[in-house]
Each structure stands twice: as structure tokens, then as C-alpha cells.
Amino acid sequence: MSVTVRVPAKVNVQLAVGAARPDGFHDLANVFLAVGLYDEVTVTPADELRVTCEGPDAGQVPLDRTNLAARAALILAERRGLDPAVHLHIAKDIPVAGGMAGGSADGAGALLACDALWGTGASREELLDICAELGSDVPFSLVGGAALGTGRGEKLRALEVGGTFQWVFAMAERGLSTPAVFWEFDRLTEGLDVPEPVASEELLDALATGDPDALGSAVSNDLQPAALSLFPELADTLAAGRAAGALAALVSGSGPTTAFLARDAGAAEKVAEVLRTSGTCRSVRTASGPVQGATVLGG
Ligand code: C5P
């Protein structure tokens, strides 16, 4: 008996970042959109807790108890007084350390899969609570769709979306560490008056109407200067996508994956083709969103 859960990646269409808080985290206005690139987490009873991973980036995924999938199983088992003896297998298609919530997806997926396997019957509220304990982006991986995250990004409000948006993602040659990008944000904003992060009304309207042109002119990412400072070559990828006609070109979350919004699927293919031959990235994928969050596929 096993349970498989499919979990999408995310792109941040707005990432407004406030000053560092005393706990080191940053208050955010984080507008998440779930997109159709997926990891699948399969949980099977085993003699002891074990994690395996397959996929092009599998070699970069930690297989010990720091893996968010393992941590999710441990937290749920501890709350229920259960033995966390399961094999967690991750079929990974979301880039690792890419700013697309790949690790968070595995945490949310493992949590939902263990809940189903063990018949724990955890409420949505408890699952979201455990997700927030695992990491700031993990609650969104569970719910999917589109949402505004406040606090450190874990307090979610679902957003209405009036259409499907077409995206192109360019994967970079190496990863970026999220804490390092936030530290660079702190360094770049030192001595400056960092405003409170607020969601853009223009952006929320663009999502609600499903208008790609309006969304293209409203997207923003306050972490982009920090990501570019640590990884200057990303500017070439952004420029290549813009020149290919993307409505918007931005770093996804803390990066280094870059995201390009296209008017329709045909335009997305064209942007993807140009990026593939640009020599400015490792690989290119197209995906649309919003899509639903973590979903049990069967067992
Ligand atoms: O919450 P999570 O573990 O995913 O965050 C990873 C790191 O990113 C944190 O340790 C912190 O350095 C940074 N972070 C932040 N402010 C947030 C979210 C994350 O500074 N709102």
C-alpha cells in the first residue's frame, strides 16, 4: 500500500519585502501563483524512515532528516505518537534551490501523503499549521491556486484569478540559497528606509481579470536586485526573454530561476525557443497557472 501526492511549483508575481524583523525573518506581501511543474511524493510503509529522489537534479537533494519531506513525516508522527517508519520517494521535476518552492512542495506532499497513509485525518487547519512550522512557503504548496501570503509568507488569503497565465521558466546553471539572498537584501538596503510590504491593487486586479498584459506591467520582486547582485549573469537571461517578446521578465522568488510571462501558449513557445538557444541558461520549461495545490493521486 502506498500513497502518491502531486505538488506544484510556484512563481511569485509580487514579492514585497520589509525590513528584517528581530527574529531575522522579513515581513512579506507575497503573491503566489501555483504553476504546472510538479514533484510527486510517494510514501510506502518501511522498516525505518528513508528518503530517495529521482530526477535531473536528484543529486542535489539532501536525503537525511533535513529534507522537508522527512521533517513533515517526523512532525506528523510525533503529534500522533506514531512510528515514522516510511519510505518517502520524491520524483523531482521542480528545480532544486531555484526559487520555485521545490523543497516546500516535497514537505507539503509528504505531509498529505503520510496523513492519508496513516489515516490520521488531520484537519486542514492542522495541516496548514504543520506546513508553517516546516517553512514560510510550505502552506502555499498545500493550497495552490493563487494566494497572498503575509507575515513571513505563511498567512494565506486565497485570491481570485480570472484566467490562465502562460509562463516560461529558465533554470540556471547553479542554485541560490534563500537565506543568502535575504542577507544580500539586508546588505543592499542597509541604512535605507524599507517601506512596509503591501500587495499591489493593480496586480490583484490583473489576476482577477486574467489579463496577461495588465499582469505583465504589475509584477515585481524586491529580492531581484539581491539575486542579481549574487548572480549577475541572470541579467542576460532576463534580457534574452524580454527581447523574445515576454510581457514580463523577473526572478522567481529568491531565484535563480527566471520567469517570463507570455500573452498566450504560442508566444510562450517562442520565448522558450529563443531562451533555449540563447546560451544564458541550463534548461527551459513552459507551464501555466494557476493550478491546484497538493493532490492525492491514489495508492
Ligand atoms: O521559512 P523558510 O525556512 O523557508 O525560510 C528560509 C530562510 O529564508 C530563512 O531562514 C530566512 O533567512 C529567509 N526568510 C526571510 N523572511 C521570510 C522568509 C524566509 O528572511 N519571510
Side-chain angles (χ1 to χ4, degrees):
M1 150 90 171
S2 66
V3 179
T4 298
V5 172
R6 190 171 82 147
V7 197
K10 60 84 180 165
V11 60
N12 307 80
V13 286
Q14 183 187 4
L15 184 45
V17 182
R21 315 190 307 203
D23 66 2
F25 283 90
H26 298 70
D27 279 324
L28 305 176
N30 193 351
V31 183
F32 296 100
L33 185 72
V35 294
L37 280 182
Y38 298 95
D39 279 3
E40 284 184 10
V41 182
T42 299
V43 60
T44 314
D47 291 340
E48 57 179 4
L49 180 62
R50 170 165 100 85
V51 182
T52 55
C53 185
E54 65 174 301
D57 288 353
Q60 298 167 51
V61 175
L63 301 177
D64 59 13
R65 292 180 175 213
T66 62
N67 186 297
L68 284 183
R71 287 189 49 211
L74 286 165
I75 293 175
L76 184 63
E78 181 165 348
R79 285 193 180 207
R80 290 295 187 282
L82 296 169
D83 181 357
V86 286
H87 172 202
L88 292 159
H89 181 70
I90 303 167
K92 176 152 278 303
D93 200 30
I94 305 175
V96 175
M100 296 191 77
S104 299
D106 302 341
L111 182 63
L112 201 58
C114 288
D115 176 58
L117 182 77
W118 295 332
T120 19
S123 65
R124 194 77 175 160
E125 205 180 15
E126 185 180 13
L127 292 175
L128 283 170
D129 191 51
I130 297 173
C131 285
E133 193 177 331
L134 288 168
S136 306
D137 288 351
V138 185
F140 179 73
S141 296
L142 188 74
V143 303
L148 169 63
T150 53
R152 54 189 173 85
E154 85 288 14
K155 293 179 195 144
L156 296 177
R157 169 161 75 83
L159 296 174
E160 214 185 295
V161 183
T164 300
F165 295 101
Q166 306 294 329
W167 292 88
V168 182
F169 296 99
M171 315 326 182
E173 297 291 348
R174 61 181 168 92
L176 271 178
S177 132
T178 301
V181 175
F182 275 102
W183 290 326
E184 184 66 1
F185 172 88
D186 292 341
R187 197 182 68 80
L188 294 175
T189 56
E190 206 174 342
L192 303 177
D193 191 18
V194 179
E196 288 291 309
V198 270
S200 149
E201 284 304 323
E202 188 196 344
L203 180 107
L204 299 183
D205 285 350
L207 283 178
T209 56
D211 178 350
D213 288 277
L215 185 65
S217 41
V219 295
S220 66
N221 180 0
D222 288 353
L223 288 182
Q224 185 159 313
L228 285 172
S229 168
L230 296 175
F231 200 150
E233 303 91 324
L234 294 179
D236 298 335
T237 323
L238 292 171
R242 263 189 222 108
L247 299 174
L250 75 166
V251 169
S252 178
S254 58
T257 303
T258 42
F260 304 86
L261 180 64
R263 189 167 286 127
D264 53 38
E269 276 312 322
K270 188 173 161 237
V271 172
E273 203 40 51
V274 171
L275 283 167
R276 270 187 199 111
T277 53
S278 69
T280 65
C281 52
R282 175 168 61 101
S283 59
V284 179
R285 301 287 296 275
T286 56
S288 58
V291 296
Q292 63 183 4
T295 308
V296 176
L297 295 182

